[in-house]
Amino acid sequence: LVRLALAGLALAVTGGPALAQTLHLISVADSEDGAVGPAFARNAARINDKMRSISGLANLHFNLVFIDGIKRKYSCAEIAKAIKDVRVDPDDVVVFYHSGHGQSSRRSARDTNFSRFPALQCSESAREKLPRLEDISNDLRKKKARVTQRMLNAASFQYE
């Protein structure tokens, strides 16, 4: 599925009359999770490498914002800041990738009372509102980039 998304992104940025100038990747890995953190970090590193390759093939500048839990703390606040701070031109491409835990407000897969997109489990605090992938996508679309893509690799995806 990730390969299909990457292939679609490659076609989107290389086709058409105007080529994007910069591929912005906001890559997030919950590497602080003791049990599966190293796997989340490896997944994100692979996506980072693939996106860097795609940007090179498409003659795009590459801007990586990597929240890896080591150099930059894995938290809801850091994710929100990265999304807010990314500066995008109309011909740019923005990709958001999250490798970590996800959670749904749905009671079951057939429950349509809530969004089908999960929230990112980036906080241990029950009081902190978890960012939903749908909201992240909407925030990135408001930046009016040529292409906006979001990908989620959510382990422990669960219904509340």
Side-chain angles (χ1 to χ4, degrees), residues 29-43 99 101:
D30 183 6
S31 62
E32 296 174 359
D33 184 305
V36 292
F40 291 150
R42 281 191 305 274
N43 290 340
S99 185
H101 295 286

Side-chain angles (χ1 to χ4, degrees), residues 76 103 119-125 128-132 135:
C76 297
Q103 166 180 316
L120 311 183
Q121 285 185 272
C122 49
S123 174
E124 296 296 322
S125 171
E128 188 171 2
K129 183 179 180 226
L130 300 178
R132 294 180 314 152
D135 296 331

Side-chain angles (χ1 to χ4, degrees), residues 24 86-94 140 143-146:
H24 302 272
V86 69
R87 298 289 174 241
V88 177
D89 288 325
D91 280 340
D92 287 353
V93 174
V94 180
L140 289 174
K143 294 183 177 283
K144 300 192 185 299
R146 180 171 184 230

